[in-house]
Amino acid sequence: MHKIQVSTSVTIFNDISELQKEDLLLMNKAIEARKKAYAPYSKFNVGAAILLENGEIVLGNNQENAAYPSGMCAERVAIWNAGSHYPGVKIKKLAITASSELSKVDKPIGPCGACRQTLSEYEINQKTPFQVIFMGEVGEIVKTESLLSLLPFSFDSSYL
Ligand code: THU
């Protein structure tokens, strides 16, 4: 028996003003997407923006449903939007932001587990890591160099 350390290295920015140009532009697109979220039940609005290697930016936001589990997260709306419009085009980075109509979201909001799993398929397929940058509405921003760094021991097709 032995123990191992599983660790993830991330960069923390104090706020959006510390982001470099490309990241800032993408986060602003995610904010635009967040403002168009359809979240009448949770009132928790999430926006995601994906920068592709060909320069295109693809957006997504959460889409809720009266039958609650039928809704979908912003990140999966965005990645499937990218996958359906630009199949095979590599993802360079993903920016995520969340706000709530009930309180100020001042902590970084990472993608949920199901979204990490969904996103991991794309990072594995493209054989190149993509960056993930996430924030709340205000405050600190987390940036990681790779989606898989957020999902240790993930499930992939090699197990099938
Ligand atoms: N949500 C996202 O869009 N992304 C996440 O990673 C976490 C949660 C959405 C789903 C639901 O519409 C609302 O936020 C509250 O859970």
Side-chain angles (χ1 to χ4, degrees):
M1 190 271 262
H2 68 289
K3 288 190 179 180
I4 59 165
Q5 187 86 31
V6 179
S7 61
T8 301
S9 172
V10 299
T11 307
I12 308 289
F13 299 91
N14 288 318
D15 60 56
I16 198 169
S17 70
E18 290 186 358
L19 291 183
Q20 296 209 318
K21 199 174 165 207
E22 191 177 69
D23 294 0
L24 179 62
L25 192 139
L26 196 65
M27 188 56 84
N28 277 324
K29 292 284 180 189
I31 292 169
E32 273 177 41
R34 189 192 76 209
K35 290 180 178 165
K36 295 178 188 159
Y38 177 66
Y41 305 105
S42 71
K43 307 204 183 299
F44 193 77
N45 301 305
V46 186
I50 293 172
L51 174 63
L52 299 174
E53 210 180 47
N54 65 6
E56 293 288 339
I57 291 177
V58 183
L59 306 179
N61 48 32
N62 52 331
Q63 297 292 320
E64 296 188 347
N65 192 278
Y68 292 176
S70 301
M72 186 46 64
C73 292
E75 296 88 331
R76 274 176 284 171
V77 171
I79 194 73
W80 290 332
N81 191 8
S84 57
H85 285 97
Y86 301 99
V89 179
K90 286 187 181 177
I91 295 155
K92 204 170 162 191
K93 53 183 81 182
L94 159 68
I96 305 162
T97 170
S99 67
S100 170
E101 289 159 45
L102 308 176
S103 62
K104 196 80 161 175
V105 180
D106 58 4
K107 286 188 268 301
I109 302 297
C112 79
C115 285
R116 290 178 203 205
Q117 179 64 34
T118 302
L119 292 162
S120 74
E121 182 95 6
Y122 292 79
E123 187 169 277
I124 291 166
N125 284 349
Q126 71 177 30
K127 297 185 179 71
T128 314
F130 60 82
Q131 298 175 338
V132 184
I133 309 157
F134 54 89
M135 63 178 289
E137 183 181 359
V138 293
E140 286 186 345
I141 300 175
V142 175
K143 179 174 180 179
T144 118
E145 293 302 314
S146 158
L147 183 279
L148 284 167
S149 72
L150 298 176
L151 195 64
F153 302 107
S154 59
F155 186 82
D156 63 57
S157 64
S158 69
Y159 299 117
L160 296 174

